[in-house]
Amino acid sequence: MLVVMNTDAAQADISAVIERAESLGLTTHLVRGAERTAIGLTGDLQPVMQDHFIQLAGVQDVVPISKPYKLASREFHPQDTVFDLGGVGVGGDEILIIAGPCSVESRTQLLETAEAVREAGAHALRGGAFKPRTSPYSFQGMGEEGLQILAEARERTGMPVVTEVMEPDKVPLITRYADVLQIGARNMQNFPLLHAVGECQFPVLLKRGISATVDELLMAAEYLLSHGNRRVIVCERGIRSYETSTRNTTDINAIPVMRGRTHLPIFLDPSHATGHWEYVVPIARAAVAAGADGLIVEVHPRPAEALSDGGQSLKPERFAELVRQVRAIAEAVGRRVPEIG
Amino acid sequence: MLVVMNTDAAQADISAVIERAESLGLTTHLVRGAERTAIGLTGDLQPVMQDHFIQLAGVQDVVPISKPYKLASREFHPQDTVFDLGGVGVGGDEILIIAGPCSVESRTQLLETAEAVREAGAHALRGGAFKPRTSPYSFQGMGEEGLQILAEARERTGMPVVTEVMEPDKVPLITRYADVLQIGARNMQNFPLLHAVGECQFPVLLKRGISATVDELLMAAEYLLSHGNRRVIVCERGIRSYETSTRNTTDINAIPVMRGRTHLPIFLDPSHATGHWEYVVPIARAAVAAGADGLIVEVHPRPAEALSDGGQSLKPERFAELVRQVRAIAEAVGRRVPEIG
Amino acid sequence: MLVVMNTDAAQADISAVIERAESLGLTTHLVRGAERTAIGLTGDLQPVMQDHFIQLAGVQDVVPISKPYKLASREFHPQDTVFDLGGVGVGGDEILIIAGPCSVESRTQLLETAEAVREAGAHALRGGAFKPRTSPYSFQGMGEEGLQILAEARERTGMPVVTEVMEPDKVPLITRYADVLQIGARNMQNFPLLHAVGECQFPVLLKRGISATVDELLMAAEYLLSHGNRRVIVCERGIRSYETSTRNTTDINAIPVMRGRTHLPIFLDPSHATGHWEYVVPIARAAVAAGADGLIVEVHPRPAEALSDGGQSLKPERFAELVRQVRAIAEAVGRRVPEIG
Amino acid sequence: MLVVMNTDAAQADISAVIERAESLGLTTHLVRGAERTAIGLTGDLQPVMQDHFIQLAGVQDVVPISKPYKLASREFHPQDTVFDLGGVGVGGDEILIIAGPCSVESRTQLLETAEAVREAGAHALRGGAFKPRTSPYSFQGMGEEGLQILAEARERTGMPVVTEVMEPDKVPLITRYADVLQIGARNMQNFPLLHAVGECQFPVLLKRGISATVDELLMAAEYLLSHGNRRVIVCERGIRSYETSTRNTTDINAIPVMRGRTHLPIFLDPSHATGHWEYVVPIARAAVAAGADGLIVEVHPRPAEALSDGGQSLKPERFAELVRQVRAIAEAVGRRVPEIG
C-alpha cells in the first residue's frame, strides 16, 4: 500500500502517517520525490487499512498494490484447477457445454429440451426452478416441482443438472436434486448465500454481477473457497454499459484477464451476455477463441412461447449448429468439445 | 407495446403477429408507414409478452410503452406518500436526516456517535450490525450484540434506529430491535429478502443497486408494496460509472426523475455516493436543492480508526456543519429541517 | 510512480527495472514487502514512462501517483482564478448565468430569445451558429449569418456572446463576432482545435467530453493554458452511463472534485446534463448548491418548434423561475446572482 | 415514430399532436389502449422531429422506430461491401491484418518494424505521424517527416499505408503519402473532418468513439458515405466501462450487431481494446471468431522504448504468433488470412 502525500504536506503530517502505520504493525518505506513524498507500507495489510490513512492531515491518496484475494489467486495457486463434471474435465483441455431453458416451465417442455440438447452435444443441463425476476408480476418458477423434473431429466439423459439457488435456506432442498449450484448475477455479493453454498461443498457456477469488476468476482469466489469448497467456476455473463443495442456488453477481455489472475475454470454465458438469439452463436465462438473453458446456453423448443428469456433462447437446431461451430474453434485453439455417450 | 416490423415483412408476417396478439387476449392497432408497419398492442400486458413477438418472422423490434410498476407509480397514486418517522413527516415538507456510523463497532463508539449526531440535529440513527463486505477477511459486524447496542442508543436519545437486513431469516430478529429496515444496494434485487421485508410491514429504506436503473429500483419497491407495505423510502446512493475520482457517481438526476415517476419519499446517501468525506457536505446540499426528502450520512468520532468506510465518514463537528448548511438550502427551496427535542 | 513486481519476480528482474529507471535519469526507492517488492520512482516523470516499465520481466503493475497537469492544478496555483465577463466576476462570489437557444435559427428567434433571457436575469447569451450534429441530415447551423445575428443581439442587450467553434480554421471568423469560445463535448480532445483556441487568448468555455474523466478534462484545459490563455472555464454537461431515463447523467460529484483539483471556474449545463426540460430547474439548483460558479442553459421561445434540442429547452418564463430559484440557493451558500442593468 | 400520451391526456391533447404531425406533412395512426393512447407517425421523419412533440400537453414519451442512417444500413444495401486493399478483398472471405507501431519514431524504427510485420504476414502498415495525445507534454508525432518514412516503407515492402488524419486541413498532405486514412476514436464525431475525408474518396478506417453507440458509429459512417465515398471500414476499438482491469472494454457484441445493421467491413483493434500486450492475441482470435473482417495491431521492436503505447504493443515474434493463431481461427469459420508475396 502506498500513502501519497500532498505537495504541501508538513513533516509532521508525514510523521503522523508513519506513526499510525507502525502502531498497526506495518513497516514503512519513505519515497521522497522532487515534488511530493509517498510512504510505502508492507506487512499484514487488510483491505480496511486504506481508510486508516486517507483522513490523516496532508494525505492525498492511498493506493493499494496487492490483490485482496488469496485462495482464488493464481499467484498463490499457480496450477489450473481441473475437476470432473459428468465425465468432462472442467478447466483442462476439454470445453464443457451446459444447455437448457431459462426456466423449467413444464415436465414436457423440460424433458423435450433435455433430450434435444443432449442429442445436439450438450454435457450438462441447465434449468431454473426458482427464478429471480425484476417484476413481482412475472413468472417466479415452479419451485420444488421444477427440481423434481430436472432430476427426472438427469435420469433419462445422464446429464448433470445445474440450477440456481437464491437463498441460504434453500441450499438443503436444492442439493437434494442438483449437481451444480448456480449463483446468479444479482446474488454475486449475497454474502449469506455465499457462506451457505461454500459450506455445502457442491460444485458452484458463480456468475459475475452485472456491474462487478473482475476482482470483485474473484473476491466472491474467495468467500466460497474460504469454506474449503474448491470446485468453483467463474462465469462472465455480460456487464452493464451505456450501449443499448444488446441487453448486456460481453466483457470478452475478462477471459484472458481472469486467466492471468486465477486458477479457477472460466465460463461464458452468451445468452445473457447478448440478450438476442442472433448473437449467441458468434459470441459463443468468440468465448472459446478467447480461452473460455465452457459455455452455458439458453435453449427452448419454442422460444416465442417461453415464460422467460425467450428473446435470447436458441431453438435446438440452432444450438446443434452452435456445438458444431464451437467444436471447430476449440480445435483451432488446441482444445476439444468432447462427444459424450 | 409496439411491434415494429422489418421493411420487407410480408403481409403473412403481419397477420401472424396479429393472430398471436389476439390469442393472448390483446387488442391490436395497425400503424402502416411508408417504409414499414408497426402493430400497437393494448390490454393486459405482462413483461414476458415482449418475448412472444420478437422471434416471429419479419419482426424487427418490440417496444414497451408503459411502465411495468403500478403501486409505486405516480400515475396510479398521484399524491405523495407521507408517513411519520420519529416525529418527522417523511415525504412532506420536512427533511429527515439519518446519521451514524457505517458499523456498530462497540458500545462506547455507538453511544458516543449517537449522542453527537443527536446534538448536531440528526433525527434518526443508522448503524450496521450485519455487514455485507466485499472481502471475507473484512470485519463482518457485531451481529445481535450490535442490535442491542442500537436499541440502547434509541433509549438514550429517542432516535428511531435504521439498520440493514441481509437475509430473510434475520427479519424477525432485526425487527425486535430496529424501527426501519434498510435493504442495501447489493440486495436491491434479492427477491426472497424483498418478500420477507414486504411482509413485515416495517418502514423500509430501499437503496438503489450500484447499477440499477431508476425503473428497476421502482420495480424492487413494487415487490415491497405488493405485500401491502406502504412505508417505503427509495434511496439514491451513487451508481457505477467509468469515472474513478469518486467511489460512485451520484445520479442527482434520479431525484427529479423519481419525483415524476413515484409518490414514494426519495432520499440520498452522500457518503456512499461520493466515498470521500470532503465531498459529502456539498453533495448533501445538492441533494436537498434537487428535491430530496432526506439524507442518510455516515458519521464516526474517529474516522481513521473506523473498521469500515472511514474514508467517507464525517467527524461529528463536520456533520453539525452539514446540518446547518442543509437547513439553509431546505429553506431556500421552501422546506425545513425540523429541530427535535 | 510505483513499479509493482510479481510475487515470483527474480532479483535480476528487479535489477533490470532499477537500471532502466536510472538510465532515464530517475531516482529509485526500494519497497520490500513480505510477499512482493515495489520500486518507487521519482524525478522528472513523463506520462509516457509508465510504458517503459510495464513490459519488463517480473513487473505486475505500474501505478502513477502524480497528476499529469500542472498549470490547471490547484497544487501549483492555489488561488482561485477569477476574471470578468460582462461585468460579473467569474470564479468569485458571483454566479454567472448564460442562456439562449441551442441554435440560432433566425434573426427573429434569436433576438426574441436574447431579450427574454436578459429580462429574466441572464448575464450572457449562448447560441450555436456552427452545429455538430450526429446525423448528416440534421440542421447544421446558419454559419456566419448566425454569428452576425448574435453580434446584433449583443448590441441590443449588452450581453457577451458565447458560441461554439468546431475547427481551427474558424477561430479567426468566430472571434470577430463572439466574446467567449465554447469547445463542445465532442471536441474536448480535438487537439488541433485546443491549440488554435489556446493561442487566440479569448475566454473559453470548455465542456467535458461525454465520457471524459475529470482528469482528462483538466488535461484538455492544460492544452489551453499552455498557450498562455488563462481565462478558461471547465463545464460539466453530463456523462454517459447505463441509465437511460435521462439523456446523460449529471456528474454532480465532479463539482467538488474539480474544486479541489483546479483553480479554474466550474460551470454546469443542466440542459444537456439531463436532456429533459422538466429536470433542468432542479439540477440547476443542485449545481449551485454543490458549488458551481455558473450555469449555461438552453432557452427557446417555442421549444416544440426548435430545430435542435427542443426537448431540453426552457420557455422564457420557466427560465425566469430558474433564475429566481438559483438566486435563493446562491444566497443560502453565501454567494449571489448579480442583477445586471 | 410513436408519440405516447399520458393516461390522463385529454382528447384535445391528442388532437393537438395530430395537428402538429399533419402540419409537418406526416401521416398519423391512432393506437387507443385501455389505459392510454399513442399516435404512430410515418412519412419523411427527421431526427429533430422528436422534439416537436415531447413538449406538447399530455405527451409522455416519443419513441423513434427507424434507424436514422440509410447509406450505411444493410436494409438499404443488403449486399456486403467488398473492396480491394493491397491485394486483399476487404469485407469478403479474406481477413486483412494491419500492423505497425503506434507512432513513427524514426526511420530505423519504422523500417525495421515494417519489414518484421511483413515477414510475419501483415497485409498493410500502420503508423502515426500526427498523434492525438491526452497530455500536451507527450510526444506529438513526427509530422510530414513521419509520412515520408511511411511512404518509403511502402516502397520497400509493398504494403499499403494506414495513417491517422486529425484535421480537415491536413487531408491534402496526408493523401499525398497514405493509402488509407484513419479517423481516430476521439474524432469520430469531428464533423468538419468527416466532411473533408468523405470528399477525398480515399479508403477510410473509421474508429468507434470511446463511448459511442453502434448506431452513432454508423451515423458517422453515414457522413462519409453521403459524400459518395464507399470504401469505409468501421472499427471497434474498445469502449469505456466501469471495469479498470483493462484500458478499455472490447465490445465483442458489436461485431455481430454491426454485421446485421450494416454492409460495411468491420475491423477490431485488439491493442487499444485491451491496452495490455498479454491480452492482444486472445482478443484477436475472439474478434475473428465473432466475424470480424480484419484487425489492426500495434507492433514495436522494443516496446519498452516506445514513445507511445508501449504497454500494448507486441514484439514482432509475438505478432507472428498472432498471425498463425488468427489464421487457424479464420479457417475454423470458413475464411482465410491470405499469404502475400
Side-chain angles (χ1 to χ4, degrees):
Chain A
M1 200 152 70
L2 190 76
V3 179
V4 184
M5 306 300 293
N6 285 326
T7 49
D8 60 355
Q11 181 54 44
D13 296 338
I14 296 168
S15 303
V17 169
I18 293 172
E19 271 169 46
R20 165 61 46 84
E22 290 175 350
S23 78
L24 293 164
L26 303 174
T27 306
T28 61
H29 309 259
L30 209 61
V31 183
R32 280 197 188 279
E35 284 169 11
R36 71 178 78 232
T37 294
I39 300 120
L41 305 181
T42 54
D44 183 23
L45 294 162
Q46 298 286 331
V48 71
M49 287 192 175
Q50 212 166 331
D51 286 334
H52 284 152
F53 294 93
I54 190 67
Q55 290 212 355
L56 294 182
V59 172
Q60 185 189 71
D61 208 356
V62 180
V63 183
I65 62 176
S66 262
K67 295 298 175 201
Y69 42 84
K70 304 251 154 167
L71 303 173
S73 155
R74 186 175 285 282
E75 283 194 303
F76 291 84
H77 185 303
Q79 283 75 35
D80 286 337
T81 284
V82 182
F83 57 87
D84 176 82
L85 205 62
V88 177
V90 176
D93 285 345
E94 297 182 329
I95 305 292
L96 183 92
I97 302 180
I98 306 167
C102 175
S103 305
V104 182
E105 297 168 2
S106 71
R107 186 170 171 277
T108 318
Q109 167 250 14
L110 197 269
L111 296 182
E112 177 183 353
T113 309
E115 276 160 25
V117 301
R118 184 55 151 183
E119 179 73 18
H123 311 104
L125 177 66
R126 64 153 291 154
F130 296 91
K131 297 300 304 173
R133 301 304 301 272
T134 302
S135 165
Y137 310 121
S138 297
F139 174 61
Q140 311 272 325
M142 291 181 73
E144 184 166 2
E145 191 186 346
L147 295 174
Q148 290 165 342
I149 296 170
L150 285 164
E152 184 182 348
R154 175 180 49 207
E155 289 308 300
R156 288 173 171 241
T157 64
M159 286 189 287
V161 161
V162 182
T163 198
E164 179 166 354
V165 55
M166 284 170 60
E167 48 184 323
D169 272 9
K170 290 288 196 304
V171 171
L173 173 68
I174 292 174
T175 51
R176 279 214 303 281
Y177 297 99
D179 302 286
V180 178
L181 300 189
Q182 176 179 315
I183 294 179
R186 292 182 181 86
N187 283 313
M188 191 199 86
Q189 292 193 323
N190 182 334
F191 302 113
L193 182 64
L194 293 174
H195 281 297
V197 171
E199 276 171 7
C200 84
Q201 306 295 326
F202 265 58
V204 185
L205 181 83
L206 175 65
K207 288 193 154 184
R208 182 180 185 180
I210 198 171
S211 68
T213 62
V214 159
D215 283 338
E216 287 168 344
L217 172 56
L218 296 180
M219 287 295 284
E222 187 86 3
Y223 266 89
L224 297 167
L225 296 166
S226 70
H227 288 281
N229 190 339
R230 300 286 147 157
R231 292 181 295 169
V232 175
I233 296 164
V234 287
C235 183
E236 165 65 25
R237 43 78 72 211
I239 61 173
R240 188 161 267 187
S241 79
Y242 68 85
E243 174 61 68
T244 54
S245 64
T246 46
R247 180 171 171 185
N248 293 297
T249 295
T250 307
D251 182 7
I252 194 82
N253 290 355
I255 295 178
V257 170
M258 291 199 285
R259 180 68 68 220
R261 295 189 186 176
T262 189
H263 50 89
L264 297 170
I266 301 161
F267 276 38
L268 192 138
D269 171 347
S271 307
H272 285 87
T274 62
H276 292 279
W277 67 270
E278 307 96 303
Y279 309 142
V280 169
V281 176
I283 298 307
R285 292 192 311 250
V288 173
D293 298 305
L295 298 169
I296 176 165
V297 183
E298 289 188 343
V299 178
H300 195 287
R302 288 164 298 282
E305 294 171 15
L307 296 180
S308 55
D309 282 356
Q312 69 194 35
S313 295
L314 297 184
K315 293 180 187 170
E317 55 271 25
R318 197 166 172 88
F319 172 70
E321 183 58 33
L322 178 149
V323 175
R324 274 191 293 277
Q325 295 192 15
V326 164
R327 179 166 284 132
I329 296 288
E331 284 161 13
V333 296
R335 305 181 76 177
R336 63 201 190 80
V337 178
E339 308 227 25
I340 299 292
Chain B
M1 199 153 69
L2 190 76
V3 179
V4 184
M5 306 301 292
N6 286 326
T7 48
D8 59 355
Q11 181 54 45
D13 298 337
I14 295 168
S15 303
V17 169
I18 292 171
E19 272 170 45
R20 164 63 48 83
E22 290 175 350
S23 78
L24 293 164
L26 304 175
T27 308
T28 60
H29 310 259
L30 209 61
V31 184
R32 281 197 188 279
E35 286 171 9
R36 70 178 75 232
T37 294
I39 300 119
L41 305 181
T42 53
D44 182 24
L45 294 161
Q46 297 285 331
V48 70
M49 289 193 173
Q50 213 166 331
D51 287 336
H52 284 151
F53 295 94
I54 189 68
Q55 291 211 352
L56 294 182
V59 171
Q60 185 188 73
D61 206 357
V62 180
V63 183
I65 62 172
S66 217
K67 294 298 173 198
Y69 42 86
K70 304 252 157 166
L71 304 173
S73 152
R74 189 174 281 284
E75 283 189 351
F76 288 83
H77 186 302
Q79 283 75 34
D80 286 336
T81 285
V82 182
F83 58 86
D84 177 82
L85 205 62
V88 177
V90 176
D93 286 343
E94 297 182 329
I95 306 293
L96 183 92
I97 302 180
I98 306 168
C102 175
S103 305
V104 183
E105 297 168 2
S106 71
R107 186 171 171 276
T108 317
Q109 169 249 15
L110 198 268
L111 296 183
E112 178 184 351
T113 309
E115 276 161 24
V117 301
R118 183 56 150 183
E119 180 74 18
H123 310 105
L125 177 67
R126 64 154 289 154
F130 296 91
K131 297 300 304 173
R133 301 305 300 273
T134 303
S135 164
Y137 310 123
S138 296
F139 174 62
Q140 310 271 325
M142 292 182 72
E144 185 167 1
E145 191 186 347
L147 296 174
Q148 290 164 342
I149 295 170
L150 285 165
E152 184 182 348
R154 176 180 48 206
E155 289 308 299
R156 287 174 171 240
T157 63
M159 286 189 289
V161 161
V162 182
T163 199
E164 180 165 354
V165 54
M166 284 169 60
E167 47 186 321
D169 273 8
K170 291 285 196 305
V171 171
L173 174 68
I174 292 174
T175 51
R176 282 215 300 280
Y177 296 101
D179 302 286
V180 178
L181 299 189
Q182 177 180 315
I183 294 178
R186 292 182 181 86
N187 284 312
M188 192 199 85
Q189 292 192 322
N190 182 334
F191 302 114
L193 183 64
L194 293 174
H195 281 297
V197 171
E199 276 171 7
C200 84
Q201 306 294 326
F202 266 57
V204 185
L205 181 82
L206 174 65
K207 287 192 155 186
R208 182 180 185 179
I210 200 171
S211 67
T213 62
V214 159
D215 283 337
E216 287 168 343
L217 173 56
L218 296 179
M219 287 296 283
E222 187 86 2
Y223 267 89
L224 297 166
L225 296 166
S226 70
H227 288 281
N229 191 339
R230 299 287 149 156
R231 292 181 295 169
V232 175
I233 296 165
V234 288
C235 184
E236 164 66 25
R237 46 75 73 208
I239 61 173
R240 189 159 266 186
S241 80
Y242 68 84
E243 174 62 68
T244 55
S245 64
T246 46
R247 180 172 171 183
N248 292 297
T249 295
T250 307
D251 183 6
I252 194 81
N253 290 356
I255 295 179
V257 170
M258 291 199 285
R259 180 68 68 219
R261 296 188 185 176
T262 189
H263 51 89
L264 297 171
I266 301 160
F267 277 38
L268 191 138
D269 171 348
S271 307
H272 285 86
T274 61
H276 292 279
W277 65 270
E278 306 95 303
Y279 309 141
V280 169
V281 176
I283 298 308
R285 291 192 311 249
V288 173
D293 297 306
L295 298 169
I296 176 165
V297 183
E298 290 189 342
V299 179
H300 195 286
R302 287 165 300 281
E305 295 171 16
L307 297 180
S308 55
D309 280 356
Q312 69 193 35
S313 295
L314 297 184
K315 293 179 187 170
E317 55 271 25
R318 197 166 172 88
F319 172 68
E321 183 59 31
L322 178 148
V323 175
R324 275 190 292 277
Q325 295 191 13
V326 164
R327 180 165 284 132
I329 296 288
E331 284 161 11
V333 295
R335 304 181 76 177
R336 63 202 189 79
V337 177
E339 308 227 25
I340 300 290
Chain C
M1 199 153 70
L2 190 76
V3 179
V4 183
M5 305 300 293
N6 286 326
T7 49
D8 60 355
Q11 181 54 44
D13 297 338
I14 295 168
S15 302
V17 169
I18 291 171
E19 270 169 47
R20 164 61 47 83
E22 289 174 351
S23 79
L24 293 164
L26 303 174
T27 307
T28 61
H29 310 258
L30 210 61
V31 183
R32 279 197 188 280
E35 286 168 9
R36 72 178 75 232
T37 294
I39 300 120
L41 305 181
T42 54
D44 183 24
L45 294 161
Q46 298 285 332
V48 71
M49 289 193 174
Q50 212 166 329
D51 286 335
H52 284 151
F53 294 93
I54 191 66
Q55 290 212 356
L56 294 182
V59 171
Q60 185 188 71
D61 207 357
V62 180
V63 182
I65 63 175
S66 262
K67 296 295 175 204
Y69 42 85
K70 303 253 156 167
L71 303 173
S73 155
R74 187 174 283 283
E75 284 194 302
F76 290 84
H77 185 304
Q79 283 74 34
D80 286 337
T81 286
V82 182
F83 59 85
D84 177 81
L85 205 62
V88 178
V90 176
D93 286 344
E94 297 182 330
I95 305 293
L96 183 92
I97 302 179
I98 307 167
C102 175
S103 305
V104 183
E105 298 168 1
S106 71
R107 186 171 171 275
T108 317
Q109 168 250 16
L110 198 269
L111 296 182
E112 177 183 352
T113 309
E115 275 160 25
V117 301
R118 184 55 152 183
E119 179 75 18
H123 311 104
L125 177 66
R126 65 155 289 153
F130 297 91
K131 298 301 303 173
R133 301 305 300 272
T134 302
S135 165
Y137 311 122
S138 297
F139 173 62
Q140 311 271 327
M142 292 182 73
E144 185 167 2
E145 191 187 347
L147 296 174
Q148 290 164 341
I149 296 170
L150 285 164
E152 183 182 349
R154 176 179 49 207
E155 289 306 301
R156 288 174 171 241
T157 64
M159 287 189 288
V161 161
V162 183
T163 199
E164 180 164 355
V165 55
M166 284 169 62
E167 48 185 321
D169 273 9
K170 290 286 196 305
V171 171
L173 173 68
I174 292 174
T175 51
R176 281 215 301 280
Y177 297 100
D179 302 286
V180 179
L181 299 189
Q182 177 179 315
I183 295 178
R186 292 182 180 85
N187 283 313
M188 191 199 85
Q189 292 193 322
N190 182 335
F191 301 115
L193 183 64
L194 293 174
H195 281 297
V197 171
E199 275 170 9
C200 84
Q201 306 294 328
F202 265 58
V204 184
L205 181 83
L206 174 66
K207 288 193 155 187
R208 182 179 184 180
I210 200 172
S211 68
T213 63
V214 159
D215 284 338
E216 287 168 344
L217 172 57
L218 296 180
M219 287 297 282
E222 188 87 2
Y223 266 89
L224 296 166
L225 295 166
S226 70
H227 288 282
N229 190 339
R230 300 284 149 159
R231 291 181 295 169
V232 174
I233 296 165
V234 288
C235 183
E236 165 66 24
R237 45 77 72 210
I239 61 173
R240 188 160 267 188
S241 79
Y242 67 85
E243 174 61 67
T244 54
S245 64
T246 46
R247 179 172 171 184
N248 292 298
T249 294
T250 307
D251 183 5
I252 194 82
N253 290 355
I255 294 178
V257 170
M258 290 199 285
R259 180 68 68 220
R261 295 189 185 175
T262 189
H263 51 88
L264 297 171
I266 300 160
F267 277 38
L268 192 137
D269 171 348
S271 307
H272 285 87
T274 61
H276 292 279
W277 66 271
E278 308 95 302
Y279 308 142
V280 169
V281 176
I283 298 308
R285 292 193 309 251
V288 173
D293 298 305
L295 299 169
I296 177 165
V297 183
E298 289 188 343
V299 178
H300 195 287
R302 287 165 300 280
E305 295 171 15
L307 296 180
S308 56
D309 281 356
Q312 68 194 36
S313 295
L314 297 185
K315 293 180 186 169
E317 55 271 24
R318 197 167 172 88
F319 173 68
E321 183 58 33
L322 178 148
V323 175
R324 275 191 292 277
Q325 294 192 16
V326 164
R327 180 165 283 133
I329 296 288
E331 284 161 13
V333 296
R335 304 181 77 177
R336 63 202 191 79
V337 177
E339 308 227 25
I340 300 289
Chain D
M1 199 155 67
L2 189 76
V3 179
V4 183
M5 305 300 292
N6 285 326
T7 48
D8 59 355
Q11 180 54 43
D13 298 337
I14 295 167
S15 303
V17 169
I18 292 170
E19 272 169 46
R20 164 62 47 83
E22 290 175 348
S23 78
L24 292 164
L26 303 175
T27 308
T28 61
H29 311 259
L30 209 60
V31 184
R32 280 198 188 278
E35 287 171 9
R36 71 177 76 232
T37 294
I39 300 119
L41 305 181
T42 53
D44 182 22
L45 293 161
Q46 297 286 330
V48 71
M49 288 195 175
Q50 211 165 332
D51 287 336
H52 284 152
F53 294 94
I54 189 66
Q55 291 211 354
L56 293 182
V59 171
Q60 185 189 71
D61 207 358
V62 181
V63 183
I65 63 173
S66 216
K67 294 297 176 202
Y69 42 86
K70 304 252 158 167
L71 303 173
S73 154
R74 189 174 283 283
E75 283 189 351
F76 288 83
H77 185 301
Q79 282 75 36
D80 286 336
T81 284
V82 182
F83 58 87
D84 177 81
L85 205 60
V88 177
V90 177
D93 286 343
E94 297 182 329
I95 305 291
L96 183 91
I97 302 180
I98 306 168
C102 176
S103 305
V104 182
E105 298 168 2
S106 70
R107 186 170 172 276
T108 318
Q109 167 251 14
L110 198 268
L111 296 183
E112 178 184 352
T113 309
E115 276 160 24
V117 301
R118 184 55 150 183
E119 180 74 17
H123 311 104
L125 177 67
R126 62 155 290 154
F130 297 91
K131 298 300 302 173
R133 301 304 300 272
T134 302
S135 165
Y137 310 123
S138 297
F139 174 62
Q140 311 272 325
M142 291 182 74
E144 185 167 1
E145 191 186 346
L147 296 174
Q148 290 165 341
I149 297 170
L150 285 165
E152 184 183 348
R154 176 179 48 206
E155 289 307 301
R156 287 172 172 241
T157 64
M159 286 189 288
V161 161
V162 182
T163 199
E164 180 165 355
V165 56
M166 284 169 61
E167 46 186 323
D169 272 8
K170 291 285 196 306
V171 172
L173 174 68
I174 292 174
T175 51
R176 280 215 302 281
Y177 297 100
D179 302 286
V180 178
L181 299 189
Q182 176 180 315
I183 294 179
R186 292 182 181 85
N187 284 313
M188 191 198 86
Q189 292 193 323
N190 182 335
F191 301 114
L193 182 64
L194 293 174
H195 281 298
V197 172
E199 276 170 9
C200 83
Q201 305 294 327
F202 265 59
V204 185
L205 181 82
L206 174 65
K207 288 194 154 186
R208 182 180 185 180
I210 199 171
S211 67
T213 62
V214 159
D215 283 338
E216 287 168 344
L217 172 56
L218 296 179
M219 287 294 284
E222 187 86 4
Y223 266 89
L224 296 167
L225 296 166
S226 69
H227 288 280
N229 190 339
R230 299 286 148 158
R231 291 181 295 169
V232 175
I233 296 165
V234 288
C235 183
E236 165 65 25
R237 44 78 71 210
I239 61 173
R240 189 160 265 186
S241 80
Y242 68 84
E243 175 61 68
T244 54
S245 65
T246 46
R247 180 172 171 183
N248 293 297
T249 295
T250 307
D251 183 7
I252 194 81
N253 290 354
I255 295 177
V257 170
M258 291 199 286
R259 181 68 67 221
R261 296 190 185 174
T262 189
H263 51 88
L264 297 171
I266 301 161
F267 276 39
L268 191 137
D269 170 349
S271 307
H272 285 87
T274 62
H276 293 279
W277 67 270
E278 307 96 302
Y279 308 142
V280 170
V281 176
I283 298 308
R285 291 192 311 251
V288 174
D293 298 305
L295 299 169
I296 176 166
V297 182
E298 289 187 345
V299 179
H300 195 286
R302 288 165 298 282
E305 294 172 16
L307 296 181
S308 56
D309 280 357
Q312 70 193 34
S313 294
L314 297 185
K315 293 179 187 170
E317 55 271 24
R318 198 166 172 89
F319 172 68
E321 182 58 32
L322 179 148
V323 174
R324 275 190 292 275
Q325 295 192 15
V326 164
R327 179 165 285 133
I329 296 288
E331 284 160 13
V333 294
R335 304 180 76 176
R336 61 200 191 81
V337 176
E339 309 226 25
I340 299 290

